[in-house]
């Protein structure tokens, strides 16, 4: 029975991260000696320390009573996490206007309190605002309308 | 009178019209974003970092510093008016500040906070101007061995003085150090942990990482429980504090300033620790401690002065040693590096305009806060009414554009999402993000000093104990670790940082 789920999860995460760095060094980088330190020396030491700290956190968690995770904003993680990705996919082919509009719209879907109409209006308003501020105000050199949409403007 | 000549350089730089302008813009933007619920100073600075990259280094630093105290002040405003502290250091302010607001005395609370901050800021600025040259001279004596041990000491201190679990905070530091090493190794040219992504050869972008781990993670946490975000705002009423308010606040402001200035220099939550310490002290010294928690103006005046003084003096290690004492300073160092300036004791000699200009502009910025924010308080209240579900998509859009605009690199947006999700997970398991950012900034420096020290010592690791200064830092580090694990101290520490 896990008495302290948060500590256990944190510990496992740090162990995994520490091992990742150690193994990566082991297979790809030279460790070297203290005098001739290779690119792997410092990271493999840190990786080992991190994994040990992870173990200690789990160990400590076995003797303490923790609080449960509570609710997780799954919808938030999905849509908020998607927003920058959508921006990154859209900005080159479709341009800045579409990137801002689509990523804002997707982001606002993660809230349970804003409806579709509100999200659309918000995205529209923000797009206009951002284009005015960033493209005309600060003069960012990015295409407002990307090559895939050039036909619209003729 | 070297100090006067130095300050003259500073005034000359800070009062150049464009620098005044950037200071004003910084303070204004910082307040606007700091007032918005759920956006702390670190996230604010991280978000606004990209727009300073096109400025000269001096103007950029002046603007960033302005954003910092603007955001701090904005955080106090929400703490007083809505009981929603923007960050932990204004949590104390909300105890009595919000009670005052409920009694219709929000105006005096806001004014005292601004006046106290201004007094503290002035004093701290003077202190920085007086102590910085001496410290820089001292720091120039440090070799790689001393620097390495100093960084170890600083990192452990920042863990010890922050709140939360010590083991987890240490793990976060080490994790940050490792993430900071991603990229090309300067000595061997080897690619480390880049997983084959060419975009990672220069390392992970500091803005994407910090906006992710502070900004996005915070948004996700707020989305967990949206209904709690409906807060009502108190009426401000008259802004002018009464004569009695002023009399009651004078001493707390002075004491808070002194405490804050001293504690702010220490690594770790300078502003946080000092506001807690000031509140505790005022309550102890008060003849009527029962008024605390029920709207005692001393409980606003002391901590607000203390956290502003602490915020200001936390610049001292950054400016003199090139080492960050908290997450905000880590971002400042990141900004300097992007600007092509190596932070450290050489900055004061090589760029006196930047160094002294920044110091004087801190004072100017505090003046702006006092003159601007009080009259504009009506606007800030309007901002508080923006619903969160309209706010966070805007934050996301600004961050995405800002991060993309830095290098026109979509990869940085992947980092944003990745670190947002990692940050949210770490927040869920109660790991503080600040030590992670400190580690991230210090990772490459620490490795560099370790390498150089060991090369100088011909691979003999005992050098860290035979050099007296280095040994001193390491002994202090061990001492610190022992102290915080002692049961008695640990209990006290947990008591001090109890937030709710």
């Amino acid at each position: 029975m896990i008495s302290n789920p948060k500590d256990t999860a944190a510990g496992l995460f740090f162990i995994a991260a520490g091992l990742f760095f150690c193994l990566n060094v082991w297979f790809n980088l030279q460790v070297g000696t203290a005098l001739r330190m290779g690119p792997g020396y410092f990271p493999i030491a840190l990786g080992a320390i991190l994994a040990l700290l992870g173990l200690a956190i789990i160990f400590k968690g076995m003797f303490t009573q923790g609080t449960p995770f509570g609710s997780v904003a799954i919808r938030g993680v999905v849509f908020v996490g998607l927003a920058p990705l959508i921006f990154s996919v859209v900005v080159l082919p479709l341009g800045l206007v579409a990137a801002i509009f689509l990523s804002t719209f997707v982001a606002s879907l993660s809230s349970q309190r804003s409806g579709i109409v509100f999200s659309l209006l918000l995205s529209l308003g923000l797009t206009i605002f951002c284009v005015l501020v960033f493209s005309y105000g600060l003069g960012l050199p990015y295409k407002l309308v990307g090559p895939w949409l050039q036909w619209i403007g003729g | 009178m070297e100090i006067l000549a130095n300050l003259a350089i500073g005034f000359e730089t800070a009062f150049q019209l464009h620098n005044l302008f950037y200071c004003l813009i910084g303070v204004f933007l910082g307040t606007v974003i700091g007032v918005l619920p759920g956006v702390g100073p670190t996230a604010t600075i991280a978000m606004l970092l990209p727009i300073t990259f096109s400025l000269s280094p001096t103007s950029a630093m002046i603007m960033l510093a302005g954003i910092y105290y603007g955001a701090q002040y904005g955080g106090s405003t929400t703490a007083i008016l809505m009981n929603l502290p923007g960050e932990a250091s204004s949590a104390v302010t909300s105890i009595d500040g919000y009670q005052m607001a409920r009694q219709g005395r929000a105006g005096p609370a806001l004014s005292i906070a601004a006046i106290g901050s201004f007094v503290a800021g002035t004093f701290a600025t003077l202190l920085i101007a007086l102590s910085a040259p001496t410290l820089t001279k001292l720091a120039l004596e440090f070799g790689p061995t001393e620097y390495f041990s100093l960084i170890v000491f600083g990192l452990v201190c920042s863990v010890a003085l922050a709140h939360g679990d010590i083991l987890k905070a240490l793990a976060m530091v080490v994790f940050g150090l490792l993430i900071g090493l991603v990229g090309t190794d300067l000595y061997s040219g080897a690619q480390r942990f880049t997983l084959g992504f060419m975009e990672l050869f220069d390392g992970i972008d500091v803005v994407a990482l910090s906006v992710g781990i502070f900004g996005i993670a915070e948004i996700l946490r707020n989305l967990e429980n949206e209904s709690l975000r409906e807060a009502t705002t108190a009426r401000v009423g008259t802004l002018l504090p009464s004569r009695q308010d002023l009399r009651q606040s004078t001493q707390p402001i002075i004491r808070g300033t002194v405490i804050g200035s001293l504690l702010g220099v220490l690594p770790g939550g300078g502003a946080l620790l000092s506001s807690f310490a000031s509140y505790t002290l005022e309550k102890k010294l008060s003849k009527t401690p029962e008024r605390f928690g029920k709207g005692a103006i001393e409980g606003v005046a002391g901590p607000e002065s203390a956290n502003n003084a602490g915020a200001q003096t936390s610049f001292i290690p950054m400016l003199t040693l090139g080492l960050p004492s908290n997450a905000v300073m880590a971002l400042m160092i990141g900004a300097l590096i992007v600007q092509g300036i190596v932070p450290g004791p050489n900055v004061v000699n090589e760029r006196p305009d930047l160094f002294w200009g920044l110091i004087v502009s801190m004072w100017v910025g505090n003046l702006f806060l006092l003159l601007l924010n009080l009259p504009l308080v009506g606007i800030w209240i309007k901002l508080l009414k923006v619903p969160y579900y309209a706010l966070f998509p805007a934050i996301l859009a600004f961050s995405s554009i800002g991060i993309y605009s830095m290098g026109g690199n979509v990869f940085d947006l992947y980092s944003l999402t990745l670190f947002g999700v990692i940050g949210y997970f770490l927040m869920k398991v109660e790991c503080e993000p600040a030590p992670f950012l400190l580690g991230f900034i210090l990772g490459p420096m620490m490795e560099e000093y370790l390498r150089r020290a060991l090369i100088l010592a011909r691979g003999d690791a005992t050098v860290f104990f035979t050099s007296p200064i280095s040994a001193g830092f390491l002994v202090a580090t061990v001492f610190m670790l022992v102290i915080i694990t002692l049961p008695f101290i640990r209990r006290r520490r947990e008591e001090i940082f109890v937030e709710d």
Side-chain angles (χ1 to χ4, degrees), chain A residues 6-7 39 60 71 81 111, chain B residues 165 168 192 226 417 428 430:
Chain A
K6 284 181 181 169
D7 280 13
K60 201 201 71 178
S71 62
S111 169
Chain B
D165 188 291
K168 282 181 184 164
R192 294 196 288 189
E226 284 183 85
T417 292
K428 283 303 280 186
E430 287 165 2

Side-chain angles (χ1 to χ4, degrees), chain A residues 6-7 35 37-39 42 46 50 60 69 71 73 76-77 81 84 87-88 107 110-112 114 118 126 130 142, chain B residues 165 168 171 174 185 188 192 220 224 226 389 392 394 396 398 408 410 413-414 417 424 428 430 447 451 454 459:
Chain A
K6 284 181 181 169
D7 280 13
L35 179 56
M37 216 177 266
F42 192 52
L46 288 178
L50 185 60
K60 201 201 71 178
F69 269 105
S71 62
V77 172
F87 187 96
S88 70
S110 62
S111 169
Q112 287 149 8
S114 71
F118 179 83
L126 264 174
C130 288
Y142 301 111
Chain B
D165 188 291
K168 282 181 184 164
V174 177
D185 173 37
S188 62
R192 294 196 288 189
L220 292 175
E224 276 173 11
E226 284 183 85
Y389 54 84
F392 77 86
L396 267 169
F398 295 154
V410 290
L413 292 166
Y414 307 154
T417 292
Y424 177 57
K428 283 303 280 186
E430 287 165 2
E447 183 182 34
R451 270 184 174 161
L454 286 177

Side-chain angles (χ1 to χ4, degrees), chain A residues 76-119:
Chain A
V77 172
V78 172
F79 289 110
V80 170
L82 266 179
L85 298 182
I86 286 178
F87 187 96
S88 70
V89 170
V90 167
V91 69
L92 284 178
L94 298 185
L96 201 58
V97 171
I100 300 171
F101 183 83
L102 288 175
S103 65
T104 312
F105 181 71
V106 169
S108 70
L109 288 180
S110 62
S111 169
Q112 287 149 8
R113 297 174 59 90
S114 71
I116 293 285
V117 177
F118 179 83
S119 298

Side-chain angles (χ1 to χ4, degrees), chain A residues 4-7 9-10 13-14 17-18 20-22 24-25 28-29 34-44 46-47 49-50 53-54 56-57 60 67 69-85 87-89 91-92 96 100 103-105 107-114 118 122 126 129-131 134 138 140 142, chain B residues 51 148 165 167-168 170-172 174-175 177-179 181-182 185 187-188 190-195 216 219-221 223-227 230 387 389-398 400-402 404-411 413-414 416-417 421-422 424-426 428-431 443-444 446-447 450-451 454-461:
Chain A
N4 197 334
K6 284 181 181 169
D7 280 13
F13 175 81
F14 290 127
F20 165 80
F21 281 99
C22 285
N24 202 314
V25 169
N28 301 319
L29 297 168
L35 179 56
R36 289 182 181 279
M37 216 177 266
Y41 192 95
F42 192 52
I44 205 170
L46 288 178
I49 295 175
L50 185 60
L53 282 169
I57 291 169
K60 201 201 71 178
T67 45
F69 269 105
S71 62
V72 176
I74 295 178
R75 189 167 160 175
V77 172
V78 172
F79 289 110
V80 170
L82 266 179
L85 298 182
F87 187 96
S88 70
V89 170
V91 69
L92 284 178
L96 201 58
I100 300 171
S103 65
T104 312
F105 181 71
S108 70
L109 288 180
S110 62
S111 169
Q112 287 149 8
R113 297 174 59 90
S114 71
F118 179 83
L122 178 72
L126 264 174
F129 180 79
C130 288
V131 168
F134 288 96
L138 295 170
L140 287 188
Y142 301 111
Chain B
I51 58 173
F148 178 81
D165 188 291
L167 275 177
K168 282 181 184 164
L170 278 176
M172 286 297 270
V174 177
F175 184 44
L177 290 170
L178 278 164
I179 296 290
L181 296 179
V182 172
D185 173 37
Y187 278 67
S188 62
Q191 302 303 329
R192 294 196 288 189
F193 318 115
T194 55
L195 306 174
I216 305 273
I219 289 177
L220 292 175
R221 181 158 75 176
L223 283 175
E224 276 173 11
N225 222 333
E226 284 183 85
S227 53
E230 286 296 281
Y389 54 84
L391 194 61
F392 77 86
I395 295 174
L396 267 169
F398 295 154
S400 299
I401 301 173
Y404 181 67
S405 72
M406 285 184 308
N409 193 343
V410 290
F411 191 85
L413 292 166
Y414 307 154
L416 176 68
T417 292
V421 175
I422 292 182
Y424 177 57
F425 165 75
L426 290 169
K428 283 303 280 186
V429 297
E430 287 165 2
C431 292
M446 203 169 163
E447 183 182 34
L450 178 67
R451 270 184 174 161
L454 286 177
I455 288 173
L456 286 174
R458 300 182 182 283
D460 179 10

